[in-house]
Amino acid sequence: MNHIQSGNLGYPRIGENREWKKALEAHWAGKLEEAELLEQMKLIRLSHLRTQKEKGIDWIPVNDFTLYDHVLDTAFMFGLIPERFKSGGNGASLSTYFAMARGSKTASACEMTKWFNTNYHYIVPELGEGEPVLTVNRPLEAYREAKREAGIEAKPVIVGPYTFVKLSKGYDAGNVDRILDRLLPLYVQVLQELQAEGVQWLQLDEPSLVATMTEDEMARVERIYSVLHEQAPELNIMLQTYFDSVEFYDRVVSLPVQGVGLDFVHGLEGNLAGLQQHGFPQDKVLGAGVIDGRGIWRADLNRQLDLIERLTAYVPQDRIVVQPSSSLLHVPVTVASEHKLDPVLHDALAFAAEKLNEVKWLQRAVIEGKNAVRQEFEAASLAVSRLNQSPQRSRQQVQDRMAKLDQEPSKRISPFAERSKKQQEKWRLPLLPTTTIGSFPQTAEVRKARQLWRKGEWSPERYREFIREEIGKWIAIQENIGLDVLVHGEFERTDMVEFFGEKLGGFAFTSHGWVQSYGSRCVKPPVIFGDVEFLAPMTTEETVYAQSLTGKPVKGMLTGPLTILNWSFVRDDISRESAAFQIAFALREEVEALEAAGIEMIQVDEPALREGLPLKKDRHARYLEQAVLAFKLATSTIRDTTQIHTHMCYCEFHDIIDSIRALDADVISIETSRSHGELISHFEDHTYDLGIGLGMYDIHSPRVPSVEEMVSMMDRALSVLDPQLFWINPDCGLKTRGLEETVASLENMVKAAKIYREKCAVVAKN
Ligand code: GLN
Ligand code: ZN
């Protein structure tokens, strides 16, 4: 290297028009042959490589592209195919690959879980007992393809051994070394083949190095990398970390690798501190992640150039690679597709394509001097400052409230013990009240109606009438089933965050801002770009209408502040917690509006609360404290008799149960059916003394649960929880289910509750 380089870590796969998703789904639907699918995928892959080449990126990644997920690719490459997928005799075929991701008639899919603290989900590798074998050298194939088809000397990428094992299932402290003994030789083989091919650099992704880790684990990392270095000494390894600062800075930069990639956006403080304290080895290349790979905002180029200059005090310029802080997989493809955004906002955005321009401009500024890119720098500053100074970012009312945050009520009038007495008197619910989580089936008809209204083919009145009919239908169904607390069904909502974003001030929606969530599923997160403000009641109309049709209580249904925050792209000029508090204040007004309209049970859903947990354990307490505060700011200014519910699902709860308790919600409904009662056993040692409903059945399957299995679930739960505080409900919203199975399941659930109530009555008599 004779001067500073530019690099990339990964490019979005989905394509500008989600052509990747469309091809995959056509294939799964049997409308696109395998050969045709592979051909289309190749074209997409190559076009992404050419885009990066045209931009002049020096280090272009390959093998970041995938047909589903890059972690699954790695498992598949190592032949880690669980036995249950082998029965068809298809071996390492594409259909086996997709079966692992999506399940098949005979085998349930591999688990999927969140990729660190992002909203991307990877397929969890199963280490199992079979011997891993190298089925194909994916990075080598990708390298050859880029060279042959696009004339690019590319940088292959794979998940590094430490992170791969760490993310797998079947790994624990006792067997990890044995697993590595089997896996490392395969890594070595991959590396040696790359080395023989004359590959210059391999990027080994080791994001696990930024999560809290032990001394033993760091020693293991050292052993892994010394083996790789001994066995493939000619291959340059770029050990790539991201999403935060590395835990053992001095030991990580001393590993026998030729380059270390650090995140100077999300791990700025920690990584800079490490650099200042320990310097950087003179014989290594620093991958300097200075452009935010996860946020959607244009960078302040002057500031980032200053940062690079600070880095050059420790690392000579010609041994730095300017790069995004992480793979660009987490941001949409290009701002060029957006035509409807406010120009001030539009101008301040940078998606994947634009971020690579920023990387290039920074590189040019270092090589040729700032003058060479003066225009680009000035345009960036102007765009950022125009957005920062826009009236949407300084709404007086919001700012006033934020300024006296500590004086804002964040505690209910009375403690739960007193509230719950008053609530019992008011509501007179039976023992073990039955309810649901909020949504009812969003049938094709419901989606069609919404489309017609959005396209203007239906008048707002007609759509409103349609929604009312659905609500009416489902109130009657719920009454027939005999549920105790009803819901309106959420037919007017496509998505629980988008719905509120569209009605609150400070949010914007892109037309094509899709990012991959898992497999072919893409999401288009709302953009929080201004101060969040309550404009008008958002949910009262439908809820009050539903309540007018029944004598039973109808729960109002809101999405909580942390879930809105964690599922959106958030402005980066204020802290995330400030943004959460702003949302909380806006929701508080909605809670108050519902109460004033006579809705006195209000559920504030927080399924994504846990997702915001920082990667480092020592920051968990603070995050949880602020999350609890945000929830309480939203839910504390109401009467004692008004009952606050919350709902959480699909995450591990036991380590955050104290925070859940601290939310002080009168009732929480929580998923347990998938984790097969893991949570129940937790309550054996720790009681829960607020209202709680454990999901009685898994709503992700069309299967109708039997009365008996739900009675036995209740038996288990009530052996550790107080029946006076216990609620009966499914484990999540029923939006994705069909009508018949939903009614049948809920009927069984209500029957089970009745049987159990009788049992309790008999016990009480004796
Ligand atoms: N109230 C929402 C629903 O029922 C909750 C969804 C969720 O937990 N993700 O759909
Ligand atoms: Zn849920």
Side-chain angles (χ1 to χ4, degrees), residues 267-312:
L268 178 64
E269 232 176 273
N271 281 335
L272 263 189
L275 193 62
Q276 279 157 356
Q277 206 184 332
H278 304 281
F280 192 79
Q282 290 306 300
D283 54 348
K284 289 195 170 98
V285 171
L286 172 67
V290 293
I291 293 296
D292 188 356
R294 296 178 56 176
I296 51 167
W297 305 105
R298 231 167 138 161
D300 179 341
L301 294 172
N302 284 305
R303 197 184 63 193
Q304 296 318 85
L305 184 61
D306 287 347
L307 174 61
I308 296 174
E309 270 156 18
R310 279 175 78 186
L311 301 179
T312 57

Short mmCIF file of all heavy atoms in Angstrom, two decimals, residues 267-312:
data_model
loop_
_atom_site.label_atom_id
_atom_site.label_comp_id
_atom_site.label_asym_id
_atom_site.label_seq_id
_atom_site.Cartn_x
_atom_site.Cartn_y
_atom_site.Cartn_z
N GLY A 267 -18.07 2.26 18.38
CA GLY A 267 -17.14 1.93 19.46
C GLY A 267 -16.06 2.98 19.57
O GLY A 267 -14.92 2.69 19.94
N LEU A 268 -16.43 4.21 19.22
CA LEU A 268 -15.43 5.28 19.11
C LEU A 268 -14.62 5.46 20.40
O LEU A 268 -13.40 5.39 20.38
CB LEU A 268 -16.12 6.61 18.72
CG LEU A 268 -15.21 7.82 18.63
CD1 LEU A 268 -14.19 7.65 17.52
CD2 LEU A 268 -16.02 9.10 18.41
N GLU A 269 -15.36 5.64 21.48
CA GLU A 269 -14.66 5.97 22.72
C GLU A 269 -13.69 4.87 23.14
O GLU A 269 -12.51 5.13 23.38
CB GLU A 269 -15.71 6.12 23.81
CG GLU A 269 -15.61 7.40 24.58
CD GLU A 269 -16.76 7.45 25.56
OE1 GLU A 269 -17.84 7.93 25.18
OE2 GLU A 269 -16.56 6.97 26.69
N GLY A 270 -14.20 3.64 23.20
CA GLY A 270 -13.39 2.53 23.67
C GLY A 270 -12.20 2.26 22.75
O GLY A 270 -11.08 2.04 23.23
N ASN A 271 -12.44 2.28 21.45
CA ASN A 271 -11.35 1.98 20.53
C ASN A 271 -10.30 3.08 20.53
O ASN A 271 -9.10 2.81 20.45
CB ASN A 271 -11.89 1.73 19.12
CG ASN A 271 -12.48 0.33 18.97
OD1 ASN A 271 -12.09 -0.60 19.71
ND2 ASN A 271 -13.41 0.16 18.06
N LEU A 272 -10.75 4.34 20.63
CA LEU A 272 -9.76 5.43 20.69
C LEU A 272 -8.94 5.34 21.98
O LEU A 272 -7.72 5.53 21.95
CB LEU A 272 -10.48 6.78 20.67
CG LEU A 272 -10.61 7.51 19.33
CD1 LEU A 272 -11.15 8.91 19.58
CD2 LEU A 272 -9.30 7.57 18.56
N ALA A 273 -9.63 5.00 23.06
CA ALA A 273 -8.92 4.88 24.33
C ALA A 273 -7.85 3.79 24.22
O ALA A 273 -6.71 3.97 24.66
CB ALA A 273 -9.89 4.57 25.46
N GLY A 274 -8.23 2.67 23.59
CA GLY A 274 -7.27 1.58 23.41
C GLY A 274 -6.08 2.04 22.58
O GLY A 274 -4.91 1.77 22.91
N LEU A 275 -6.39 2.74 21.53
CA LEU A 275 -5.35 3.22 20.62
C LEU A 275 -4.39 4.16 21.36
O LEU A 275 -3.17 4.07 21.24
CB LEU A 275 -6.03 3.95 19.45
CG LEU A 275 -5.20 4.29 18.24
CD1 LEU A 275 -4.69 3.03 17.58
CD2 LEU A 275 -6.05 5.08 17.24
N GLN A 276 -4.99 5.06 22.15
CA GLN A 276 -4.15 6.03 22.86
C GLN A 276 -3.28 5.34 23.91
O GLN A 276 -2.13 5.69 24.10
CB GLN A 276 -5.04 7.10 23.51
CG GLN A 276 -5.43 8.16 22.50
CD GLN A 276 -6.71 8.90 22.89
OE1 GLN A 276 -7.35 8.58 23.88
NE2 GLN A 276 -7.06 9.90 22.08
N GLN A 277 -3.86 4.35 24.54
CA GLN A 277 -3.13 3.70 25.62
C GLN A 277 -2.08 2.72 25.12
O GLN A 277 -0.98 2.66 25.65
CB GLN A 277 -4.12 2.97 26.52
CG GLN A 277 -3.62 2.81 27.93
CD GLN A 277 -4.60 1.98 28.74
OE1 GLN A 277 -5.81 1.97 28.46
NE2 GLN A 277 -4.08 1.30 29.74
N HIS A 278 -2.45 1.95 24.08
CA HIS A 278 -1.55 0.88 23.65
C HIS A 278 -0.95 1.09 22.27
O HIS A 278 -0.16 0.27 21.83
CB HIS A 278 -2.30 -0.47 23.65
CG HIS A 278 -2.93 -0.80 24.97
ND1 HIS A 278 -2.21 -1.32 26.01
CD2 HIS A 278 -4.20 -0.69 25.41
CE1 HIS A 278 -3.03 -1.52 27.05
NE2 HIS A 278 -4.23 -1.14 26.70
N GLY A 279 -1.36 2.13 21.57
CA GLY A 279 -0.86 2.34 20.22
C GLY A 279 -1.39 1.28 19.27
O GLY A 279 -2.36 0.58 19.57
N PHE A 280 -0.72 1.15 18.13
CA PHE A 280 -1.16 0.17 17.14
C PHE A 280 0.10 -0.42 16.52
O PHE A 280 1.02 0.31 16.17
CB PHE A 280 -2.01 0.86 16.07
CG PHE A 280 -2.74 -0.10 15.17
CD1 PHE A 280 -3.91 -0.73 15.60
CD2 PHE A 280 -2.25 -0.38 13.90
CE1 PHE A 280 -4.58 -1.62 14.78
CE2 PHE A 280 -2.92 -1.28 13.07
CZ PHE A 280 -4.09 -1.89 13.51
N PRO A 281 0.18 -1.76 16.40
CA PRO A 281 1.42 -2.38 15.93
C PRO A 281 1.85 -1.82 14.56
O PRO A 281 1.02 -1.66 13.67
CB PRO A 281 1.05 -3.85 15.81
CG PRO A 281 -0.13 -4.03 16.70
CD PRO A 281 -0.86 -2.75 16.71
N GLN A 282 3.12 -1.55 14.46
CA GLN A 282 3.65 -0.88 13.28
C GLN A 282 3.55 -1.71 12.00
O GLN A 282 3.60 -1.19 10.90
CB GLN A 282 5.12 -0.48 13.53
CG GLN A 282 5.23 0.64 14.54
CD GLN A 282 4.39 1.87 14.19
OE1 GLN A 282 4.58 2.47 13.15
NE2 GLN A 282 3.43 2.21 15.05
N ASP A 283 3.42 -3.04 12.17
CA ASP A 283 3.41 -3.87 10.97
C ASP A 283 2.00 -4.24 10.51
O ASP A 283 1.83 -5.10 9.67
CB ASP A 283 4.23 -5.14 11.22
CG ASP A 283 3.73 -5.88 12.46
OD1 ASP A 283 2.93 -5.29 13.24
OD2 ASP A 283 4.14 -7.04 12.66
N LYS A 284 0.99 -3.60 11.09
CA LYS A 284 -0.38 -3.99 10.75
C LYS A 284 -1.13 -2.88 10.05
O LYS A 284 -0.79 -1.70 10.14
CB LYS A 284 -1.14 -4.37 12.02
CG LYS A 284 -0.68 -5.68 12.61
CD LYS A 284 -1.66 -6.22 13.62
CE LYS A 284 -1.29 -7.63 14.01
NZ LYS A 284 -0.55 -7.74 15.23
N VAL A 285 -2.19 -3.31 9.36
CA VAL A 285 -3.08 -2.37 8.70
C VAL A 285 -4.28 -2.13 9.60
O VAL A 285 -4.81 -3.07 10.20
CB VAL A 285 -3.55 -2.96 7.35
CG1 VAL A 285 -4.66 -2.11 6.74
CG2 VAL A 285 -2.37 -3.09 6.39
N LEU A 286 -4.69 -0.88 9.70
CA LEU A 286 -5.88 -0.56 10.50
C LEU A 286 -7.08 -0.34 9.58
O LEU A 286 -7.06 0.54 8.72
CB LEU A 286 -5.63 0.72 11.32
CG LEU A 286 -6.87 1.27 12.05
CD1 LEU A 286 -7.33 0.33 13.16
CD2 LEU A 286 -6.59 2.67 12.63
N GLY A 287 -8.09 -1.14 9.75
CA GLY A 287 -9.37 -0.89 9.06
C GLY A 287 -10.12 0.11 9.90
O GLY A 287 -10.57 -0.22 11.00
N ALA A 288 -10.24 1.33 9.40
CA ALA A 288 -10.82 2.40 10.22
C ALA A 288 -12.28 2.60 9.83
O ALA A 288 -12.59 3.25 8.83
CB ALA A 288 -10.02 3.69 10.04
N GLY A 289 -13.17 2.06 10.64
CA GLY A 289 -14.61 2.21 10.39
C GLY A 289 -15.08 3.57 10.82
O GLY A 289 -15.37 3.79 11.99
N VAL A 290 -15.12 4.50 9.87
CA VAL A 290 -15.45 5.89 10.23
C VAL A 290 -16.77 6.35 9.62
O VAL A 290 -17.23 7.45 9.90
CB VAL A 290 -14.32 6.86 9.82
CG1 VAL A 290 -13.07 6.60 10.64
CG2 VAL A 290 -14.02 6.76 8.33
N ILE A 291 -17.37 5.52 8.76
CA ILE A 291 -18.68 5.87 8.20
C ILE A 291 -19.69 4.88 8.79
O ILE A 291 -19.50 3.66 8.69
CB ILE A 291 -18.64 5.76 6.65
CG1 ILE A 291 -17.72 6.83 6.06
CG2 ILE A 291 -20.04 5.85 6.05
CD1 ILE A 291 -18.16 8.25 6.28
N ASP A 292 -20.73 5.40 9.38
CA ASP A 292 -21.69 4.57 10.10
C ASP A 292 -22.37 3.56 9.16
O ASP A 292 -23.13 3.93 8.28
CB ASP A 292 -22.74 5.48 10.75
CG ASP A 292 -23.69 4.74 11.68
OD1 ASP A 292 -23.57 3.49 11.77
OD2 ASP A 292 -24.52 5.40 12.31
N GLY A 293 -22.09 2.28 9.40
CA GLY A 293 -22.66 1.24 8.55
C GLY A 293 -24.10 0.88 8.91
O GLY A 293 -24.72 0.09 8.23
N ARG A 294 -24.60 1.43 9.98
CA ARG A 294 -25.94 1.05 10.44
C ARG A 294 -26.93 2.19 10.44
O ARG A 294 -28.13 1.98 10.45
CB ARG A 294 -25.84 0.50 11.86
CG ARG A 294 -25.03 -0.76 11.91
CD ARG A 294 -24.90 -1.26 13.31
NE ARG A 294 -26.19 -1.45 13.93
CZ ARG A 294 -26.34 -1.97 15.13
NH1 ARG A 294 -25.29 -2.32 15.83
NH2 ARG A 294 -27.55 -2.13 15.65
N GLY A 295 -26.41 3.41 10.50
CA GLY A 295 -27.31 4.56 10.51
C GLY A 295 -27.56 5.01 9.08
O GLY A 295 -26.87 4.58 8.15
N ILE A 296 -28.54 5.86 8.89
CA ILE A 296 -28.89 6.28 7.53
C ILE A 296 -28.52 7.72 7.26
O ILE A 296 -28.91 8.28 6.24
CB ILE A 296 -30.40 6.12 7.29
CG1 ILE A 296 -31.16 6.82 8.43
CG2 ILE A 296 -30.77 4.65 7.20
CD1 ILE A 296 -32.63 6.99 8.12
N TRP A 297 -27.74 8.33 8.16
CA TRP A 297 -27.48 9.77 8.02
C TRP A 297 -26.18 10.03 7.30
O TRP A 297 -25.22 9.29 7.42
CB TRP A 297 -27.48 10.43 9.40
CG TRP A 297 -28.75 10.14 10.10
CD1 TRP A 297 -28.93 9.25 11.13
CD2 TRP A 297 -30.06 10.64 9.79
NE1 TRP A 297 -30.25 9.20 11.49
CE2 TRP A 297 -30.97 10.05 10.68
CE3 TRP A 297 -30.54 11.57 8.85
CZ2 TRP A 297 -32.33 10.32 10.65
CZ3 TRP A 297 -31.90 11.84 8.83
CH2 TRP A 297 -32.78 11.23 9.72
N ARG A 298 -26.15 11.10 6.59
CA ARG A 298 -24.93 11.56 5.96
C ARG A 298 -23.91 11.89 7.04
O ARG A 298 -24.26 12.40 8.10
CB ARG A 298 -25.27 12.85 5.21
CG ARG A 298 -24.82 12.81 3.81
CD ARG A 298 -25.46 13.95 3.09
NE ARG A 298 -24.45 14.52 2.24
CZ ARG A 298 -24.73 15.29 1.21
NH1 ARG A 298 -25.98 15.60 0.94
NH2 ARG A 298 -23.78 15.75 0.46
N ALA A 299 -22.68 11.60 6.75
CA ALA A 299 -21.64 11.85 7.75
C ALA A 299 -21.21 13.31 7.70
O ALA A 299 -21.26 13.95 6.65
CB ALA A 299 -20.44 10.96 7.47
N ASP A 300 -20.78 13.80 8.84
CA ASP A 300 -20.14 15.10 8.89
C ASP A 300 -18.68 14.86 8.47
O ASP A 300 -17.85 14.43 9.26
CB ASP A 300 -20.24 15.63 10.33
CG ASP A 300 -19.58 16.99 10.47
OD1 ASP A 300 -18.75 17.34 9.60
OD2 ASP A 300 -19.88 17.67 11.46
N LEU A 301 -18.40 15.10 7.20
CA LEU A 301 -17.10 14.67 6.64
C LEU A 301 -15.93 15.39 7.29
O LEU A 301 -14.86 14.80 7.47
CB LEU A 301 -17.10 14.88 5.12
CG LEU A 301 -18.08 13.98 4.35
CD1 LEU A 301 -18.15 14.37 2.89
CD2 LEU A 301 -17.69 12.51 4.48
N ASN A 302 -16.14 16.66 7.64
CA ASN A 302 -15.04 17.38 8.30
C ASN A 302 -14.66 16.70 9.61
O ASN A 302 -13.48 16.51 9.90
CB ASN A 302 -15.46 18.83 8.59
CG ASN A 302 -15.43 19.66 7.31
OD1 ASN A 302 -14.41 19.72 6.62
ND2 ASN A 302 -16.57 20.26 6.99
N ARG A 303 -15.69 16.34 10.34
CA ARG A 303 -15.42 15.70 11.63
C ARG A 303 -14.73 14.34 11.44
O ARG A 303 -13.79 14.00 12.14
CB ARG A 303 -16.74 15.54 12.40
CG ARG A 303 -16.54 15.28 13.87
CD ARG A 303 -17.85 15.03 14.57
NE ARG A 303 -18.49 13.82 14.04
CZ ARG A 303 -19.76 13.50 14.28
NH1 ARG A 303 -20.52 14.27 15.00
NH2 ARG A 303 -20.26 12.39 13.77
N GLN A 304 -15.20 13.59 10.45
CA GLN A 304 -14.62 12.26 10.23
C GLN A 304 -13.19 12.37 9.68
O GLN A 304 -12.35 11.53 9.96
CB GLN A 304 -15.51 11.42 9.31
CG GLN A 304 -16.89 11.09 9.91
CD GLN A 304 -16.86 10.71 11.38
OE1 GLN A 304 -16.88 11.57 12.26
NE2 GLN A 304 -16.80 9.42 11.67
N LEU A 305 -12.94 13.42 8.91
CA LEU A 305 -11.57 13.61 8.42
C LEU A 305 -10.64 13.95 9.60
O LEU A 305 -9.51 13.43 9.68
CB LEU A 305 -11.52 14.72 7.36
CG LEU A 305 -10.16 14.96 6.72
CD1 LEU A 305 -9.66 13.70 6.00
CD2 LEU A 305 -10.21 16.14 5.74
N ASP A 306 -11.14 14.77 10.50
CA ASP A 306 -10.36 15.06 11.72
C ASP A 306 -10.04 13.77 12.47
O ASP A 306 -8.93 13.58 12.97
CB ASP A 306 -11.13 15.98 12.67
CG ASP A 306 -11.19 17.40 12.15
OD1 ASP A 306 -10.43 17.71 11.20
OD2 ASP A 306 -11.99 18.19 12.67
N LEU A 307 -11.04 12.91 12.52
CA LEU A 307 -10.85 11.63 13.22
C LEU A 307 -9.75 10.83 12.54
O LEU A 307 -8.85 10.29 13.21
CB LEU A 307 -12.18 10.86 13.23
CG LEU A 307 -12.14 9.44 13.79
CD1 LEU A 307 -11.70 9.43 15.25
CD2 LEU A 307 -13.53 8.79 13.67
N ILE A 308 -9.79 10.76 11.22
CA ILE A 308 -8.74 10.01 10.51
C ILE A 308 -7.38 10.64 10.81
O ILE A 308 -6.39 9.94 11.04
CB ILE A 308 -9.02 9.98 8.99
CG1 ILE A 308 -10.32 9.23 8.71
CG2 ILE A 308 -7.85 9.34 8.24
CD1 ILE A 308 -10.77 9.27 7.28
N GLU A 309 -7.35 11.95 10.85
CA GLU A 309 -6.08 12.60 11.16
C GLU A 309 -5.59 12.24 12.56
O GLU A 309 -4.40 12.04 12.78
CB GLU A 309 -6.18 14.11 10.94
CG GLU A 309 -5.79 14.43 9.50
CD GLU A 309 -6.36 15.73 8.94
OE1 GLU A 309 -6.79 16.58 9.74
OE2 GLU A 309 -6.37 15.85 7.70
N ARG A 310 -6.53 12.13 13.47
CA ARG A 310 -6.14 11.69 14.83
C ARG A 310 -5.57 10.28 14.77
O ARG A 310 -4.61 9.96 15.48
CB ARG A 310 -7.33 11.70 15.77
CG ARG A 310 -7.64 13.08 16.30
CD ARG A 310 -8.89 13.06 17.13
NE ARG A 310 -8.68 12.53 18.48
CZ ARG A 310 -9.69 12.32 19.32
NH1 ARG A 310 -10.94 12.57 18.96
NH2 ARG A 310 -9.45 11.85 20.53
N LEU A 311 -6.15 9.44 13.94
CA LEU A 311 -5.65 8.06 13.84
C LEU A 311 -4.24 8.02 13.27
O LEU A 311 -3.42 7.18 13.65
CB LEU A 311 -6.59 7.21 12.97
CG LEU A 311 -8.04 7.08 13.44
CD1 LEU A 311 -8.86 6.22 12.47
CD2 LEU A 311 -8.11 6.49 14.85
N THR A 312 -3.95 8.95 12.37
CA THR A 312 -2.62 8.91 11.74
C THR A 312 -1.51 9.27 12.73
O THR A 312 -0.33 9.08 12.43
CB THR A 312 -2.53 9.86 10.51
OG1 THR A 312 -2.86 11.18 10.94
CG2 THR A 312 -3.45 9.41 9.40
#
